[in-house]
């Protein structure tokens, strides 16, 4: 199945929709004895511990996520401390809690079910403090493990058809998804979660890189098989999802010139099995194959054309959402906010937030991601629709966020806590929040332009914007949580404005309920 045969993405999307009846007709019970390991462990490779006492950037997270920190470092070559900072604050363990079956190691970025199926690898040239090689990052012992020695930058440049950011980057992070680690709970829907959970992690990663003043970009255009081979992945279990080139090597230095691609023999490195047995979900393998790029021509075509969305004319009453001036915004630092973040488990349904808080979140999170599929810069695949329950200065109701005009267009006025409870899979969180932000996208147009790989892009973008919303909320001492939803009911609720779109993502914002002292 080729990337152009977009019925594959529709088949996967339609086949993994949640509805009132699907969750009742197909209940899934968790097999706790077969719970997957949360880490990829190479038992025979010596760890290279990363430094733990890395200086903090001190940069306000709201500036870092809204790309207001120019990448001004003269060298733009990351060193080992930069790598340690970015790996830890993207995927490191930030909290630990006991549960009935053992311990849960919570990580820097939100992840469906706390199952952490996204792995990180580093492909680097010689950096200050690190020899050139292909490394795997293990958050359990905050270490790298060397999988291949040598400089493989040329292989990545080739696999991406000489994508400029990759070709010039002294180091590139590769994010992969491990099917079973998430499918243990979410079955075939895990392929959607790959995008969401990779996205929240990327929001942190881009924030830390901006705060470290290192340029970076999300690259989705690459020949899948070449990158998977470089990492020696067993592709029935784990696949590469995106590349993040970091820094920029100066072309005048001889050691910065791009090496020719090297041979990458199969390594067959031993890893500890995740579970006693794994269940394969063919729908995900089919979706991945159908969205894989097989040749450099396909990669070049993927990057080639900008995606033009028609202007969305205002249809209803619109409220202008004022930008908060930068000097009025909270200055909580990137590291501080990432360590503070944790999904809200109960919202206070008597609380409210201000319009300025909401507008800061919307503005900072939607300034545009640096990504090869978002051309011209500032393009966004997902539209944001809101259910406002308790925002001072806004009528309660359903809204469309006009990103360019910076407006909230009132679609219907009313108290919709009951509807939000239902749409968010009958959970209390979306009903008790102050505002629910739904992401909807014109999948028809996106798949026509990008083929099946557009499905990866739209899910990933939603996760990354969602991750920025988490950070913008926690920077203001608010709470937030990602949520799942009944797909078609969400579209119906926001129609006619949303007719023809597909539901992609949901996030709720509010104030956490403070527990009364016992
Ligand atoms: C995309 C996404 C969807 C989520 N969906 C739900 C949900 O439906 N219900 C829920 O209680 N938590 C949900 N969560 C929250 C996760 O359970 C939470 O991120 C995870 O347990 C890790 O904890 P932390 O975010 O506090 O670090 C979701 C998180 C994400 C990123």
């Amino acid at each position: 199945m080729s990337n152009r045969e977009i019925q594959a993405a529709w088949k996967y999307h339609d086949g993994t929709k949640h509805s009132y009846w699907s969750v009742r007709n197909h209940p899934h019970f968790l097999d706790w004895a077969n719970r997957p390991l949360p880490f990829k462990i190479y038992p025979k490779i010596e760890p290279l511990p990363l430094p733990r006492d890395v200086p903090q950037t001190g940069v306000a997270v709201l500036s870092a996520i809204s790309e207001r920190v120019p990448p001004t470092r003269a060298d733009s070559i990351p060193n080992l401390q930069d790598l340690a900072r970015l790996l830890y604050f993207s995927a490191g363990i930030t909290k630990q809690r006991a549960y009935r079956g053992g311990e849960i190691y919570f990580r820097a970025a939100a992840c469906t079910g706390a199952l952490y199926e996204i792995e990180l690898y580093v492909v680097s040239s010689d950096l200050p403090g690190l020899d050139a090689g292909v490394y795997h990052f293990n958050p359990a012992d905050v270490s790298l493990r060397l999988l291949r020695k040598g400089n493989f930058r040329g292989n990545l440049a080739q696999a991406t058809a000489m994508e400029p950011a990759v070709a010039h980057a002294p180091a590139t992070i590769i994010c992969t998804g491990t099917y079973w680690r998430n499918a243990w709970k979410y079955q075939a829907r895990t392929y959607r979660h790959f995008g969401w959970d990779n996205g929240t992690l990327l929001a942190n990663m881009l924030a830390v890189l901006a705060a470290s003043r290192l340029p970076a970009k999300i690259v989705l255009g690459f020949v899948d098989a070449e990158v998977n081979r470089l990492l020696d992945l067993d592709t029935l279990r784990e696949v590469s999802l995106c590349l993040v080139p970091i820094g920029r090597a100066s072309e005048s230095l001889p050691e910065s010139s791009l090496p020719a691609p090297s041979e990458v023999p199969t390594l067959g490195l031993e890893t500890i099995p995740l579970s006693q047995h794994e269940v394969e979900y063919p729908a995900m393998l089919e979706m991945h194959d159908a969205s894989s790029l097989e040749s450099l021509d396909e990669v070049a075509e993927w990057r080639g054309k900008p995606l033009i969305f028609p202007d969305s004319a205002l249809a209803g009453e619109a409220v202008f959402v004022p930008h908060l001036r930068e000097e009025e915004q909270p200055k909580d630092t990137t590291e501080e906010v990432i360590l503070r973040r944790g999904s809200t488990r109960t919202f206070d349904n008597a609380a409210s937030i201000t319009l300025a808080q909401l507008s800061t979140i919307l503005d900072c999170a939607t300034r545009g991601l640096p990504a090869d599929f978002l051309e011209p810069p500032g393009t966004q695949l997902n539209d944001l629709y809101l259910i406002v329950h308790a925002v001072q200065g806004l009528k309660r109701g359903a809204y469309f966020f006009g990103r360019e005009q910076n407006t909230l267009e009132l679609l219907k006025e009313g108290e919709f806590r009951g509807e939000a409870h239902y749409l968010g899979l009958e959970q209390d969180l979306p009903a008790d929040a102050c505002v629910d932000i739904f992401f909807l996208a014109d999948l028809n147009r996106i798949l026509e332009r990008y083929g099946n790989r557009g499905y990866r892009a739209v899910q990933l973008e939603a996760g990354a914007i969602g991750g920025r919303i988490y950070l913008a909320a926690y920077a203001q001492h608010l709470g937030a949580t990602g949520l799942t939803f009944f797909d078609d009911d969400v579209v119906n609720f926001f129609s006619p404005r949303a007719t023809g779109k597909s539901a992609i993502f949901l996030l709720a914002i509010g104030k956490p309920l403070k527990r009364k002292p016992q």
Side-chain angles (χ1 to χ4, degrees), residues 78 131 142 150 296 470 480 517:
D131 292 340
V142 200
L296 296 180
Y470 260 109

Side-chain angles (χ1 to χ4, degrees), residues 94-95 97 104-116 185-186 192-193 196-197 200 341-345 424-425 427 429-430 463 470 474 480-485 504-507:
T94 51
K95 286 184 212 97
R97 246 173 247 142
I104 298 191
Y105 298 97
F106 288 91
R107 310 271 191 97
C111 179
T112 50
L115 291 164
Y116 306 111
K185 180 166 182 187
Y186 297 104
R192 297 183 184 214
H193 295 203
W196 300 352
D197 297 332
T200 56
R341 193 210 60 78
S343 299
T344 303
R345 300 292 81 203
L425 231 64
Q427 299 181 82
L429 285 159
Y470 260 109
Y474 281 81
T481 185
L483 290 165
T484 192
F485 44 83
I504 303 292
F505 195 85
L506 167 59
L507 209 126

Side-chain angles (χ1 to χ4, degrees), residues 4 13 83 85 112 121 145 184 192 199 208 219 255 273 292 295 303-304 307 336 387 393 452 476 487 493:
R4 284 272 137 230
H13 185 70
L83 279 183
R85 183 190 299 116
T112 50
Y121 297 80
R145 280 173 177 75
W184 169 73
R192 297 183 184 214
V208 173
V219 174
E255 65 269 27
S292 290
S295 68
R303 273 207 303 273
L307 180 74
E336 212 179 319
I387 302 184
N452 293 317
Q476 303 182 80
D487 288 76
F493 177 82

Side-chain angles (χ1 to χ4, degrees), residues 123-139:
V123 177
S124 78
S125 39
D126 280 331
L127 302 179
L130 189 71
D131 292 340
V134 178
Y135 297 87
H136 171 255
F137 171 62
N138 185 349

